[in-house]
Amino acid sequence: MYDSIDEAIKVKFAESQSILIVSHIRPDGDAVGSLLGLGLALIHQGKAVQMVLEDGLPDKYLPLSGSDLVRRTAQGEFDMSIVVDCSDIERTGSVLSNISKPDLNIDHHKTNLNFAALNLVEADSVATAATLAEHMPSWGLEIDCAVASCLLTGIIADTIGFRTSNISAQALRLSADLIDKGADLPKLYRQTLVSRSFEAIGFWGAGLNRLGRDGAIVWASLTLDDRRKIGYPDDDDADLINILAAIGDAKIAIIFVEHENGSVKVSWRAQAGIDVSGIALSFGGGGHAAAAGVDIQGDLTEVRDSVIQATKVLLAETFASKNNKILVEEEKGEHKYG
Ligand code: AMP
Ligand code: MN
Ligand code: MN
């Protein structure tokens, strides 16, 4: 056995010539940045690497080095398979249907199921790309300008530009190191978070027409009809959830996106002190305390109503337990809340 997971990973890399790397369906910037950053560094070491995203690469990430190498299916056999930024294996789609247990799982979701032979899961890391930036040097992998640009993209995406409640001095130090390697922060920031198509903004408008609120919970829905009428090409929410989460006195924001396969994608965003990962897990999804999601089969209105109801219960329980804590702490003379 090895002294550390880093040593075990390093040995596995040394033993492997052909390597498959996959990430999740509807890939975000962390999925893409982690896949490309790790993939490019391994290619630079002379490995034969296949980088696979079942849903392909969103256009906005085409400027990243290595984007032209990403495929939608895996071809042939591999010495090593790696899953990045996925809390469970189903999130990869059907890419790994021939592989029952991947060799390596690199992730930062607290709901991660540790489904691989080696599991590097850091729940306090802001992004899988941040975990990679920290560990890749100890695996003997070089972070050059191209790799650094991919990894910084992942960190920018998952921290929404360094402003999520889990942002840390260490994440900023890692990001500063990536900038030192040549990553262009303003360019990557604009590419990842700011720049939008005309259609995406129109899609926001359709969703905002259905803005709803119940106390501290706000939501909006995006229908297939909106998508068709506006000509929005992707099947995500165009990050409208981040606009809802900007509502100052809302504790939880939820977005519902209708899909062609009869499912509804639900995304939750919570303010600090509220954990929505458990509710996502209870519906079959996963995520982090502040950001979680799930795909639920069913009609948009029914899914919306049952999710809002369950979220109201979660919020009520969260406040009940906080109030209890205040009472206990008041008795102990250490009032922390309010
Ligand atoms: P999203 O709402 O898609 O932006 O995702 C927020 C967080 O929840 C991300 O960290 C995702 O990885 C996680 N997540 C979203 N959808 C799912 C799902 N269907 N299963 C597991 N985790 C999910
Ligand atoms: Mn992700
Ligand atoms: Mn991530």
Side-chain angles (χ1 to χ4, degrees):
M1 274 290 108
Y2 303 102
D3 287 345
S4 67
I5 185 153
D6 280 329
E7 199 189 330
I9 292 171
K10 190 174 179 181
V11 169
K12 184 68 192 168
F13 279 137
E15 290 169 357
S16 306
Q17 179 52 32
S18 59
I19 299 175
L20 171 67
I21 314 177
V22 305
S23 190
H24 57 81
I25 53 171
R26 292 198 290 276
D28 51 31
D30 193 25
V32 171
S34 299
L35 181 94
L36 290 175
L38 180 59
L40 286 177
L42 287 165
I43 289 170
H44 294 159
Q45 284 223 324
K47 308 288 182 187
V49 179
Q50 278 191 42
M51 297 183 270
V52 178
L53 295 171
E54 184 165 288
D55 288 342
L57 191 92
D59 285 354
K60 68 173 167 179
Y61 300 117
L62 285 173
L64 290 174
S65 298
S67 61
D68 53 322
L69 303 175
V70 175
R71 301 281 173 267
R72 286 174 182 258
T73 53
Q75 307 288 327
E77 304 278 307
F78 305 92
D79 301 330
M80 181 177 187
S81 56
I82 308 173
V83 179
V84 292
D85 198 43
C86 295
S87 54
D88 59 61
I89 201 162
E90 284 74 32
R91 285 275 286 159
T92 60
S94 51
V95 178
L96 295 174
S97 51
N98 293 333
I99 297 171
S100 58
K101 192 164 188 156
D103 295 295
L104 177 56
N105 158 26
I106 306 171
D107 189 33
H108 67 126
H109 292 92
K110 64 183 281 191
T111 53
N112 192 287
L113 300 178
N114 294 312
F115 51 82
L118 291 167
N119 298 285
L120 176 60
V121 178
E122 297 184 328
D124 55 358
S125 171
V126 295
T128 300
T131 291
L132 285 169
E134 189 156 2
H135 289 260
M136 279 171 56
S138 64
W139 306 336
L141 297 181
E142 193 200 339
I143 300 180
D144 62 9
C145 176
V147 172
S149 302
C150 296
L151 297 180
L152 191 57
T153 294
I155 297 174
I156 292 169
D158 266 19
T159 62
I160 325 174
F162 309 104
R163 63 189 172 87
T164 49
S165 57
N166 60 351
I167 194 70
S168 60
Q170 172 63 359
L172 292 172
R173 263 181 229 113
L174 286 168
S175 301
D177 287 345
L178 296 173
I179 294 167
D180 273 344
K181 304 271 186 202
D184 182 341
L185 178 66
K187 183 178 125 204
L188 296 171
Y189 196 110
R190 182 166 172 83
Q191 180 174 295
T192 307
L193 292 178
V194 182
S195 177
R196 307 273 167 194
S197 66
F198 182 81
E199 289 75 18
I201 305 295
F203 200 40
W204 285 2
L208 289 173
N209 268 330
R210 275 183 227 97
L211 187 63
R213 155 170 229 160
D214 184 327
I217 303 173
V218 295
W219 63 84
S221 313
L222 289 160
T223 66
L224 281 170
D225 200 41
D226 296 333
R227 220 172 101 189
R228 268 186 232 111
K229 277 193 186 134
I230 287 153
Y232 180 67
D234 300 324
D235 65 353
D236 56 23
D237 69 339
D239 290 332
L240 176 58
I241 187 70
N242 292 335
I243 304 296
L244 298 191
I247 298 173
D249 54 354
K251 298 286 181 203
I252 300 180
I254 318 173
I255 198 130
F256 302 92
V257 184
E258 193 177 34
H259 278 258
E260 257 138 13
N261 65 0
S263 73
V264 177
K265 169 67 200 289
V266 184
S267 294
W268 289 264
R269 296 294 182 269
Q271 286 194 11
I274 299 168
D275 184 346
V276 285
S277 67
I279 192 169
L281 196 62
S282 74
F283 279 99
H288 315 277
V294 64
D295 291 271
I296 304 176
Q297 277 297 320
D299 164 77
L300 178 66
T301 313
E302 280 166 24
V303 169
R304 188 193 64 197
D305 292 349
S306 72
V307 164
I308 290 171
Q309 186 51 37
T311 307
K312 281 166 74 173
V313 172
L314 167 78
L315 201 56
E317 283 171 2
T318 304
F319 284 118
S321 73
K322 280 193 178 166
N323 287 336
N324 284 341
K325 203 165 172 203
I326 291 169
L327 289 177
V328 171
E329 280 164 359
E330 274 176 347
E331 275 166 24
K332 288 195 290 184
E334 14 170 296
H335 189 174
K336 277 191 200 133
Y337 297 97

